[in-house]
Amino acid sequence: MLKKLRVLFALIFWLGITLLFLVFTGGLHRYLSWMAKIQLLPAVMAVNLAVIAALVLLTLLFGRIYCSVICPLGVFQDAVSHVGISGKKQPYGYRREIKWLRYGVWALFVIALIAGIHAFVAILAPYSAYGRMVQSLLQPVYIWFNNIFAHMAERAGSYAFYSKETWFRSLPVLVVSLVTLVIIVILSFRSGRTYCNSICPVGTTLSFFSRFSMFRPVIDVEKCRNCKACEHKCKAMCIDIDSHRIDYSRCVDCFNCIGECKFDALKYRFAWGRKASGNAPAEPKGADASRRAFIASGAFLAGSAVLHAQKKVDGGLASILEKQEVERDTPITPPGSLSVRDFYRRCTACQLCVAECPNNVLRPSSSLERFMQPEMGYERGFCRPECTRCSQICPSGAIRPIGREEKTQYHIGTARVNPELCISAKGESHCGKCVRMCPVGALSMVQDPETGNRRPVVAEEVCIGCGACEQYCPSRPISAIVVNGRAQHLDV
């Protein structure tokens, strides 16, 4: 029964988070965005003390339930390992903890997190890694099938589906996602939960608490017949029947072992204060180190919480050049982020906002400084004032929840006009399209006293940096009006 309940809840969480990254209509995030916000690293970056405390308490009570139920990458590994052990009578066996790898990666992760080396953090964080894999590899396939149904529905006179443009956002992020997927699949297929218990820094953090969990699997030495059925089913490879020990720091409470024992020698029960399973030998000499790691982990969680955040044609069917990506002095980050620095300090590069953006504005950055973290560009759309979807789903607090009225208070950038590219300033046409498209009236046409031509002028104190002017500017491949990001987004 315990295993069935665990599998049920794991499927619910895995399916919910996967759909968050796939479905682009915005209907699901109202009901499922909380699943992303209770992931450990986003909660730490958002300084969500309630979620952090709840996850620590959950681990102290029941062990690493988080890893086998809430973490989508953990559930994905379970699915892959289930395929890998099919037909094998003895798929797993006890393996000693690889301490140098496990705690070495954890130490590097903590150092990178404090130092702000977010690319390293994002690569290792399980929720972020899973989100990038779904957004980069699976969502384009989902959109492709959606567009097929949209085309069929349109021909039938129905608007039950609508098509969405799918475009190549970032080759480096695609490569990282593909490499991550290959590594996870190989490790899970061959060795179960190797990634969780040897590499994953979140799993290691929770392991400091799971050593002291109140409820856990316990071996009854008097009933045990050393058949090793439980050991061969343990995908965490943490059960050592020869010494009747269970490494609770690696146990993810999958309950696969509970139903395998024919002698009723293994039970999940209250075991507060027990140093080892059953009548096994006393706690190893490394116990003091474990306690120190436990204290260090608690300090890390508290400290981190405080520190942290198709070819286009015109009406005459003439080809229109695609706009090129613009080099900006300061990157543009979404409304709801307090500043550029605060946004990139909190962002976990999970790509949920990229997957949800309906305007094709957000994309992963390819720069080394902000690698894989989102940035805004207006080559394919602009940030519509009525859209606040990214702020409603960001789990890490990098983009704070805002309403439509509040959004216009965020000045994320300022538009600048290049008269050498502007067809109106050059006297080639009375364009003024940027003025007509500006949703806040920050642009006006004035007469240049030197040339006599009318050109657009930006009221910088009014401009909010939405990018409508840049996106609709007819100048190709570089817009004559370009938005440069602002370091601070709220005028204090």
Side-chain angles (χ1 to χ4, degrees), residues 6 22 92 102 117 126 128 194 199 224 231 234 248 321 375 386 436 443 455 465:
R6 193 268 305 172
L22 290 180
Y92 304 120
R102 188 180 187 189
I117 309 175
S128 300
T194 300
I199 301 174
C224 181
E231 181 177 319
C234 179
Y248 295 117
L321 293 175
E375 62 183 8
E386 71 275 9
R436 296 193 299 273
L443 283 156
R455 61 181 178 84

Side-chain angles (χ1 to χ4, degrees), residues 164-472:
K164 178 179 174 62
E165 180 185 10
T166 178
W167 51 289
F168 192 70
R169 289 184 170 91
S170 173
L171 177 59
V173 174
L174 179 65
V175 172
V176 170
S177 301
L178 187 59
V179 171
T180 303
L181 176 64
V182 171
I183 293 174
I184 294 295
V185 168
I186 292 175
L187 290 177
S188 304
F189 190 86
R190 297 181 59 185
S191 307
R193 285 282 190 142
T194 300
Y195 181 85
C196 284
N197 291 326
S198 298
I199 301 174
C200 179
V202 172
T204 303
T205 300
L206 293 177
S207 74
F208 299 141
F209 301 97
S210 65
R211 302 168 195 266
F212 312 103
S213 58
M214 290 187 176
F215 291 87
R216 40 185 155 161
V218 176
I219 300 173
D220 189 331
V221 179
E222 295 180 356
K223 292 183 179 180
C224 181
R225 297 295 179 267
N226 290 19
C227 68
K228 294 192 175 184
C230 57
E231 181 177 319
H232 294 316
K233 281 294 183 178
C234 179
K235 57 196 172 192
M237 294 183 286
C238 64
I239 301 178
D240 182 9
I241 287 299
D242 291 336
S243 60
H244 296 103
R245 295 192 60 84
I246 298 177
D247 184 352
Y248 295 117
S249 73
R250 291 188 290 158
C251 175
V252 294
D253 292 304
C254 65
F255 307 125
N256 285 1
C257 59
I258 302 297
E260 290 299 317
C261 184
K262 300 178 180 179
F263 307 102
D264 199 30
L266 188 61
K267 292 183 178 180
Y268 182 78
R269 62 185 181 85
F270 182 82
W272 178 258
R274 285 181 174 268
K275 295 182 178 180
S277 300
N279 300 320
E283 197 170 351
K285 294 181 180 179
D288 290 338
S290 297
R291 291 193 182 95
R292 287 194 295 270
F294 172 84
I295 296 172
S297 178
F300 157 66
L301 287 176
S304 297
V306 173
L307 287 174
H308 295 83
Q310 312 164 336
K311 182 180 181 181
K312 296 182 180 179
V313 296
D314 65 6
L317 298 184
S319 297
I320 298 179
L321 293 175
E322 294 284 352
K323 288 198 174 186
Q324 293 181 0
E325 185 176 336
V326 178
E327 290 289 337
R328 308 179 197 273
D329 297 332
T330 302
I332 309 173
T333 59
S337 56
L338 299 181
S339 65
V340 173
R341 181 178 179 274
D342 185 74
F343 175 80
Y344 287 118
R345 183 170 60 89
R346 294 177 182 271
C347 177
T348 62
C350 70
Q351 311 299 321
L352 183 55
C353 59
V354 176
E356 284 278 345
C357 181
N359 304 311
N360 292 328
V361 169
L362 285 165
R363 58 168 177 254
S365 175
S366 298
S367 71
L368 291 177
E369 183 182 359
R370 303 176 299 274
F371 186 53
M372 298 189 298
Q373 294 180 301
E375 62 183 8
M376 299 177 72
Y378 301 131
E379 296 80 32
R380 296 177 179 272
F382 71 98
C383 189
R384 297 180 178 274
E386 71 275 9
C387 177
T388 60
R389 194 182 300 178
C390 62
S391 76
Q392 304 302 320
I393 50 89
C394 179
S396 68
I399 314 173
R400 305 192 178 195
I402 56 175
R404 296 181 179 180
E405 298 81 6
E406 189 180 359
K407 181 176 180 178
T408 56
Q409 299 175 15
Y410 284 80
H411 293 238
I412 61 175
T414 304
R416 301 286 170 83
V417 181
N418 185 346
E420 295 181 0
L421 296 178
C422 179
I423 60 176
S424 181
K426 292 188 296 183
E428 297 177 1
S429 170
H430 297 289
C431 177
K433 193 169 186 178
C434 56
V435 176
R436 296 193 299 273
M437 300 308 298
C438 180
V440 295
L443 283 156
S444 59
M445 298 294 289
V446 299
Q447 188 172 17
D448 191 319
E450 296 182 0
T451 64
N453 299 326
R454 292 175 63 80
R455 61 181 178 84
V457 173
V458 182
E460 296 187 1
E461 69 278 6
V462 179
C463 178
I464 61 175
C466 68
C469 55
E470 179 181 325
Q471 207 278 319
Y472 283 108

